[in-house]
Amino acid sequence: MAEQKLQTKNRSPGRPPRTDSFGKASDLRDSILDHAELAFAEAGFEGANLREIASLAGVNQALIRYYFGSKADLFDECFRRRGGVLAGHRHVNLDRLLEISENPSVEDLVFAYLKPQWDMKYSSPNGAAFVAMQARLHAEPEEHALRLRREVYDASVKRYISALSQVLPQVPKDIISVRMAFLVGAYLFMLNDLGRISDLTEGHLTSFGKDEMLDQLVRFLAAGLRAPV
Amino acid sequence: MAEQKLQTKNRSPGRPPRTDSFGKASDLRDSILDHAELAFAEAGFEGANLREIASLAGVNQALIRYYFGSKADLFDECFRRRGGVLAGHRHVNLDRLLEISENPSVEDLVFAYLKPQWDMKYSSPNGAAFVAMQARLHAEPEEHALRLRREVYDASVKRYISALSQVLPQVPKDIISVRMAFLVGAYLFMLNDLGRISDLTEGHLTSFGKDEMLDQLVRFLAAGLRAPV
DNA sequence: CTTGTTATTATTCAAATGAATAATTAATGT
DNA sequence: ACATTAATTATTCATTTGAATAATAACAAG
């Protein structure tokens, strides 16, 4: 991918002068995370390359090690950073919904769950990268991937399952759980694959904006959740 | 992963004697494909390792090159081998359905589409590996992955979209297309992730056998496809 | 039989890559 | 001022890895 020399700044070693008066907590650390996110999204864990990440982030490769340790640790940190924010948004959204009404609609619940990641995807290239990273993580069979996902998301998913269970008393809770898994699959795939759907639809899709697409998805999933048992 | 010496058979070079009287078309070639399938499923394209594949398949690494060329070519061949079979089954299933009745139920159509891969997953470890490989391929952002998927699956997907469109005249075709994409996402995720769902369900899931799970999925997706517009 | 072709191995090559170390400079506390 | 710590770089190391080549044995054809 990176044929060019990709030399990092040829600055002498040692701590660089603090130009800014504020203590703007480690700029470079964030830069590394940002570029790692992009790299992992594009090439996957194995495919991503520390030299390139370092180079694009404008730092020496050893700095990655200094801040994060191993490549795997870097990956985890990437994931947790945004994953935590995401899970937080989901909690907040659910709280709000339940404040307004005891029995929100299924559509509202689904929307509350999906919206944060949908927004993240369109907020910035890095947001989109994170979505891709996550889709990849879900396809990983590795033990490690599983643990990460659980750590970051399980709590919020369980809350949504409970809430759905309350507004759908006809559907047993274990079935709701399974359907929630279907939901996650559909929306992750969707988010990651969005650009390509137009192939299947022979161009019809151009009429759907991203908001409409989310609407479509919510409608589809809500109907599935409500399906008679 | 493979710490051991993993030496290939220490046989002298040159063509080995043909012990069997039948010309059982290249045993080793198939063995390579089988083990490559397992490796790609477990570790992804980048993560898989030709030396290990060769070793497990009981052949010299150079034989992979002899038969398939590059690693990427090997991957493609793996994918096409089973993907072709799968697409074939889908076509056959659809043909049968349409023979029986002009207007099959949405459930029947969904089932006809899903069943072949479901069976493949449970037919053998290699079948399961292929499913995992495919799930990974869908998470790949690479151009190459996209082309492969299209090559292998597009035709059958389009046929199913048409059939669904006929039995669901209330739903515009472009919406059916989008929903079909949701469907693919949900089922791929499901198939690949099956074992882990029980985490979310806190053990409730043990009561679902694999057939019941497929039933659940079909019900969910059919309801989604039917959702009012 | 001899010659060419096919299938297979052993071995080598060159590049990439994650990790590690040592050097260097700024900041900070005393 | 001085010593310690924090942040950063240049450089080296060891391993892995995909690819390539050369050797060799069985088989097939004439």
Side-chain angles (χ1 to χ4, degrees), chain A:
Chain A
M1 293 272 152
E3 312 302 38
Q4 299 304 68
K5 189 67 170 302
L6 272 185
Q7 181 83 20
T8 75
K9 281 191 273 253
N10 210 344
R11 170 170 67 195
S12 41
R15 187 181 214 170
R18 172 72 58 92
T19 50
D20 204 331
S21 45
F22 306 98
K24 49 170 178 176
S26 202
D27 215 355
L28 295 184
R29 188 174 187 279
D30 283 339
S31 177
I32 292 171
L33 279 175
D34 287 342
H35 286 278
E37 192 165 58
L38 293 169
F40 284 133
E42 221 178 280
F45 179 76
E46 301 272 359
N49 162 256
L50 292 185
R51 273 176 175 75
E52 196 173 325
I53 292 173
S55 169
L56 291 171
V59 304
N60 186 281
Q61 193 191 153
L63 197 61
I64 296 182
R65 195 174 135 71
Y66 177 69
Y67 277 126
F68 303 98
S70 72
K71 186 183 184 183
D73 293 333
L74 173 62
F75 184 89
D76 289 4
E77 188 57 28
C78 267
F79 193 78
R80 287 205 189 88
R81 181 175 61 152
R82 274 188 205 271
V85 173
L86 205 58
H89 283 168
R90 282 186 185 143
H91 279 294
V92 171
N93 281 0
L94 184 50
D95 290 340
R96 280 208 200 121
L97 262 189
L98 295 180
E99 255 175 45
I100 298 173
S101 143
E102 287 272 314
N103 267 41
S105 71
V106 179
E107 276 81 1
D108 283 345
L109 284 168
V110 172
F111 184 82
Y113 185 84
L114 299 187
K115 193 65 179 359
Q117 193 153 10
W118 204 267
D119 286 343
M120 184 175 281
K121 161 144 187 173
Y122 294 105
S123 68
S124 69
N126 272 301
F130 177 76
V131 174
M133 220 177 115
Q134 199 179 350
R136 282 194 114 118
L137 194 64
H138 272 269
E140 288 278 342
E142 281 172 48
E143 189 51 37
H144 179 238
L146 180 54
R147 244 181 308 130
L148 246 189
R149 282 159 49 191
R150 263 193 234 158
E151 173 196 323
V152 176
Y153 294 120
D154 260 27
S156 66
V157 171
K158 280 178 181 160
R159 276 193 75 201
Y160 275 86
I161 289 177
S162 291
L164 283 166
S165 220
Q166 277 208 330
V167 303
L168 288 171
Q170 345 60 304
V171 186
K173 191 167 181 184
D174 56 344
I175 292 193
I176 299 251
S177 299
V178 176
R179 289 180 178 177
M180 189 72 187
F182 300 159
L183 177 154
V184 170
Y187 101 87
L188 263 186
F189 180 74
M190 171 75 333
L191 261 183
N192 194 41
D193 225 50
L194 207 48
R196 302 180 192 159
I197 293 185
S198 37
D199 302 321
L200 279 184
T201 60
E202 289 158 338
H204 292 293
L205 201 67
T206 36
S207 52
F208 285 117
K210 57 189 159 73
D211 291 341
E212 285 162 283
M213 183 65 84
L214 177 54
D215 260 18
Q216 286 296 329
L217 182 54
V218 168
R219 221 184 290 279
F220 178 89
L221 294 173
L225 284 167
R226 278 208 196 87
V229 194

Side-chain angles (χ1 to χ4, degrees), chain B residues 1 32 43 56 59 101 110 117 129 171 190 194 215 224:
Chain B
M1 297 274 151
I32 292 172
L56 291 171
V59 304
S101 141
V110 173
Q117 192 152 10
V171 186
M190 170 75 335
L194 208 48
D215 260 18

Side-chain angles (χ1 to χ4, degrees), chain B residues 13-15 18 48-51 61-62 65 70-71:
Chain B
R15 185 181 214 169
R18 172 77 53 94
N49 163 256
L50 292 185
R51 272 177 177 74
Q61 194 192 151
R65 197 174 134 72
S70 73
K71 187 183 184 183

